[in-house]
Amino acid sequence: MKDAFFETTPPWGFAFAGVGLDRVSGRRDNAEFLSELRARPDARFVVIARDMPILDRQTRHAFWPPALVDALGPARVEILLGLDPAGAPYFAALMPDSAVEQQADLSDGFQDRRVLVVPGRDDLELVDLRTIAWQGLVVSEVAAILGEAKAIAHWHARHSFCANCGAPSRVSAAGWRRECDVCKTQHFPRTDPVVIMLAVDGERCLLGRQARFPKGMYSALAGFLEPGESVEEAVRREILEESGIICDEVRYVASQPWPFPASLMIGCMARATTREITVDGEELEDARWFSREEVAAIFEKRHPQGILSPNRMAIAHHLLKFWLEG
Ligand SMILES: [Zn+2]
């Protein structure tokens, strides 16, 4: 059997994983504890406006004293992210949209390329998280905290009203809950599970490309988990819908928080039992089997057809590498 890779655990860390903060989730309703933290001289904020963190243009520093929040704010919401090992508190501050100005939007459907500035503050810049991770502008522990801050701030920015009765909702639990005082419903931040997987047929694996991908890029198939579905069922359904391939055995490999806007990528391998590909033509424009030799060539950027794989910030890259080296 060639199933050895189903039985090992990958060693790698991922972009946006590994937030090294104690979330102190049991103390989020303690108002006194929270105000003491907010007043500490070592309190730091990730300052988010229109889904992007504010960085120092020169140093790329991403953690700010409360003075910046107060200068640009007041914040719409402050969220306690957690305490670092020395006990210093880290918060996220969701700023009003009016704190920043959009100068251009060069987005291409794949990457957020809005040009946002803080009026009168040339020392500050707003950078989207893909760029931060792709270019390694901050170390991975910092990127993970920025991802946590962005995902929770994104939720607050779009959930000001109760989804049950429509009344304005109120922030509680240090930013980890919203309450409706009219109908008493509690609302919690969402994380959207996405399955991402390699279908494997012996010595070949299945990759596909979406029309919006950069030229030449192929990646693992992926899709949102639906209500009433197990991870294994979602993996089999997505592969079948997008490529026509039937799979039997599914194994979980690893997961990655993916703050675009608030997903959890659940990485899996699936054993294919059929070989004939039928591309759905909607989600994918192409899907193909790739041999180990081809995948090795893709990693070394010498594939004869110029085919590329996602870079190492994405779990798809690691799934492919895991299979190749497995
Ligand atoms: Zn309500």
Side-chain angles (χ1 to χ4, degrees):
M1 294 292 287
K2 292 192 172 68
D3 285 355
F5 63 80
F6 285 129
E7 290 157 17
T8 52
T9 305
W12 1 274
F14 295 115
F16 307 117
V19 171
L21 301 177
D22 175 356
R23 292 173 179 250
V24 287
S25 52
R27 305 180 73 182
R28 287 171 179 162
D29 283 308
N30 183 334
E32 196 180 335
F33 172 64
L34 294 176
S35 62
E36 278 172 21
L37 291 179
R38 175 69 163 77
R40 280 177 61 135
D42 55 0
R44 290 295 176 267
F45 283 78
V46 177
V47 184
I48 305 268
R50 303 196 202 190
D51 296 329
M52 289 193 199
I54 294 179
L55 306 187
D56 183 295
R57 192 181 293 279
Q58 296 297 322
T59 64
R60 285 347 191 328
H61 200 73
F63 299 138
W64 299 95
L68 182 72
V69 179
D70 298 337
L72 304 181
R76 285 174 61 183
V77 182
E78 292 184 2
I79 304 118
L80 175 63
L81 301 176
L83 312 182
D84 76 9
Y90 285 70
F91 294 86
L94 169 64
M95 307 310 292
D97 287 357
S98 58
V100 297
E101 205 175 275
Q102 182 169 316
Q103 293 191 327
D105 187 354
L106 311 173
S107 302
D108 51 13
F110 190 68
Q111 189 138 355
D112 181 358
R113 297 183 195 276
R114 289 171 298 153
V115 180
L116 301 175
V117 298
V118 183
R121 292 294 302 265
D122 290 345
D123 57 320
L124 305 178
E125 66 176 349
L126 292 100
V127 187
D128 87 283
L129 283 180
R130 267 185 222 272
T131 303
I132 287 174
W134 172 275
Q135 297 182 1
L137 300 184
V138 301
V139 300
S140 61
E141 292 84 350
V142 174
I145 294 172
L146 298 185
E148 178 189 357
K150 186 228 169 162
I152 182 83
H154 180 276
W155 178 73
H156 280 289
R158 289 154 182 82
H159 291 81
S160 302
F161 296 89
C162 174
N164 186 47
C165 77
S169 60
R170 159 175 73 75
V171 177
S172 67
W176 292 93
R177 194 168 69 225
R178 297 189 73 102
E179 317 250 358
C180 176
D181 291 330
V182 175
C183 74
K184 308 299 179 198
T185 303
Q186 295 185 328
H187 301 276
F188 296 91
R190 292 187 52 146
T191 295
D192 299 320
V194 176
V195 288
I196 180 162
M197 56 273 164
L198 280 185
V200 173
D201 164 32
E203 290 300 299
R204 301 184 303 169
C205 73
L206 182 68
L207 299 178
R209 72 167 269 113
Q210 299 176 17
R212 69 188 183 97
F213 281 3
K215 191 168 179 289
M217 184 191 284
Y218 279 69
S219 185
L221 307 193
F224 284 103
L225 202 81
E226 295 190 344
E229 212 171 26
S230 70
V231 168
E232 292 83 352
E233 288 162 351
V235 165
R236 290 190 202 104
R237 174 182 56 78
E238 284 289 341
I239 294 174
L240 180 63
E241 284 176 3
E242 294 187 2
S243 69
I245 298 295
I246 297 171
C247 293
D248 58 0
E249 193 170 3
V250 174
R251 283 292 179 270
Y252 167 78
V253 178
S255 66
Q256 176 187 32
W258 190 244
F260 305 104
S263 290
L264 176 69
M265 307 302 282
I266 303 168
C268 295
M269 298 277 184
R271 186 165 59 193
T273 59
T274 63
R275 292 174 179 193
E276 180 123 359
I277 294 171
T278 310
V279 176
D280 71 351
E282 287 189 19
E283 296 210 37
L284 295 184
E285 64 173 22
D286 189 27
R288 291 172 43 182
W289 292 108
F290 288 85
S291 68
R292 285 181 193 276
E293 293 70 27
E294 277 185 287
V295 172
I298 290 170
F299 275 119
E300 290 163 16
K301 295 193 168 46
R302 55 173 179 79
H303 191 280
Q305 290 160 323
I307 288 172
L308 303 167
S309 64
N311 85 350
R312 59 190 311 282
M313 71 180 267
I315 193 171
H317 174 99
H318 297 277
L319 285 175
L320 257 183
K321 202 161 186 188
F322 182 51
W323 172 73
L324 182 63
E325 292 169 359

